[in-house]
Amino acid sequence: MREVALKGKKILILGAGAIAEAMIRGLTEADAVSPEQIVVTNKSNLERLQYLQETYRVSIVENLEDEAGSEALASADIILLACKPHDVANVLERIRDKVIDPVVLSVAAGVSTDLMESILGQNARVVRAMPNTACAVLESATAVSYGKHCEEETKTLAETILSVLGTVSVVEEKLMDVVTGLSGSGPAYFYYMVEAMQSAAENLGLPSDTARTLILQTLFGAGKMLQETHLDPNVLRRQVTSPNGTTMAGIRVFEEANFKELVERVITRAAERSREMGEQQASILQ
Ligand SMILES: NC(=O)C1=CN([C@@H]2O[C@H](COP(=O)(O)OP(=O)(O)OC[C@H]3O[C@@H](n4cnc5c(N)ncnc54)[C@H](OP(=O)(O)O)[C@@H]3O)[C@@H](O)[C@H]2O)C=CC1
Ligand SMILES: O=C(O)[C@@H]1CCC=N1
């Protein structure tokens, strides 16, 4: 089914940074898309393009204005927009007259389908997605919402690609900024926690390798417990928390520092930042 939907589709990726690489790696390693179906370009960093070409065997285009660039634009079935939010309007303006009705799948934080439609023309099929870098290992938590002109075929195509890379949740577009602050940025929150646990463990005398093994397996085990038992995290937490034991003592320190409130502030601020970046792009067009 997946092979049929993606078979022969040409994917042009505008942007060659962290998320583009994670998606390329996931799609090619899962064998969902062959490297010949993918063309990547960026603004100016040729070394980076060459690295992607050598690593994943994808094609690269240095300049969208030359013959190879024009050919890549005209033949693209899907344009994956993976540049920074502040480059989106400019990039879309440059390509709009050179593409032939592709599906535009944007992963840019904050940038609305309205904005993209207003640049590309009102019939453009525009998809706004928010994956995370775990695309690289096919474990992204991706959310998606659709522009006004996406019919079932476009939705199926987008969800087929994204579901290769992990889970896909369809959400109302007004929730995309929250999703961005939650699961788009989310891996970094867990990595930050791991960094903190690692340095605490080392400060308390554990060898670095041992600390890393213990922390990563604890993180992985907790995630698997949440997924496989379907129990509420609160229930699972209580199973670890013996009366008057070590966990209770540790959690009390979290509570004294208002940890839950802090996490809410973190996600609220990240969501707000997504909104701000979208508004900055919208204001350029006014
Ligand atoms: N990193 C993440 O975890 C996630 C990021 N995103 C979104 O993905 C997008 C990219 O993020 P990320 O990969 O981290 O960013 P990076 O800074 O790593 O990459 C940005 C890429 O965009 C390229 N670029 C800039 N201008 C143009 C242009 N005019 N035409 C083509 N390419 C261009 C840059 O090229 P050059 O190097 O030559 O300047 C670079 O390859 C952002 O919008 C972000 O919101 C979404 C989900 C997760
Ligand atoms: O930090 C960012 O802006 C991007 C969006 C989600 C994850 N990284």
Side-chain angles (χ1 to χ4, degrees), residues 65-108:
E65 317 296 332
D66 68 14
E67 207 183 320
S70 303
E71 156 65 19
L73 282 167
S75 60
D77 298 296
I78 298 156
I79 292 194
L80 174 57
L81 198 53
C83 55
K84 290 287 187 199
H86 66 250
D87 290 316
V88 166
N90 183 274
V91 169
L92 292 180
E93 275 167 357
R94 280 178 50 214
I95 67 165
R96 73 178 152 201
D97 298 326
K98 299 176 181 163
V99 296
I100 305 173
D101 195 29
V103 172
V104 174
L105 171 56
S106 166
V107 298

Side-chain angles (χ1 to χ4, degrees), residues 15-19 42-45 82-85 87 91 107-109 130-131 133:
I19 197 67
N42 61 5
K43 193 179 206 166
S44 55
N45 187 343
C83 55
K84 290 287 187 199
D87 290 316
V91 169
V107 298
M130 183 45 56
T133 46

Side-chain angles (χ1 to χ4, degrees), residues 1-75:
M1 170 64 191
R2 156 173 127 187
E3 285 71 16
V4 174
L6 298 179
K7 197 165 186 240
K9 298 278 189 236
K10 291 267 185 203
I11 305 176
L12 172 60
I13 307 183
L14 305 181
I19 197 67
E21 179 171 3
M23 295 178 82
I24 292 169
R25 179 170 157 189
L27 289 171
T28 53
E29 290 194 356
D31 268 337
V33 172
S34 71
E36 296 81 53
Q37 290 172 258
I38 300 178
V39 181
V40 197
T41 189
N42 61 5
K43 193 179 206 166
S44 55
N45 187 343
L46 179 57
E47 239 176 74
R48 173 72 180 165
L49 290 182
Q50 286 167 339
Y51 157 79
L52 293 175
Q53 184 177 39
E54 277 157 27
T55 310
Y56 304 102
R57 305 279 149 215
V58 294
S59 303
I60 58 172
V61 162
E62 284 176 57
N63 182 357
L64 284 177
E65 317 296 332
D66 68 14
E67 207 183 320
S70 303
E71 156 65 19
L73 282 167
S75 60

Side-chain angles (χ1 to χ4, degrees), residues 15 35 44 53 59 64 72 79 83 118 134 145 148 154 164 175 182 196 201 203 207 236 256 269 277 281 284:
S44 55
Q53 184 177 39
S59 303
L64 284 177
I79 292 194
C83 55
S118 74
S145 54
K148 292 190 270 305
T154 301
V164 170
L175 298 175
L182 181 73
N203 289 341
L236 290 171
E256 282 160 10
R269 179 61 199 126
M277 292 193 294
Q281 281 298 282
I284 292 173

Side-chain angles (χ1 to χ4, degrees), residues 85-86 88-89 110-112 114-116 118-119 275-286:
H86 66 250
V88 166
V111 178
S112 69
D114 266 357
L115 179 125
M116 292 186 278
S118 74
I119 300 174
R275 206 166 304 122
E276 284 166 10
M277 292 193 294
E279 282 166 6
Q280 275 164 10
Q281 281 298 282
S283 69
I284 292 173
L285 294 182
Q286 280 160 9

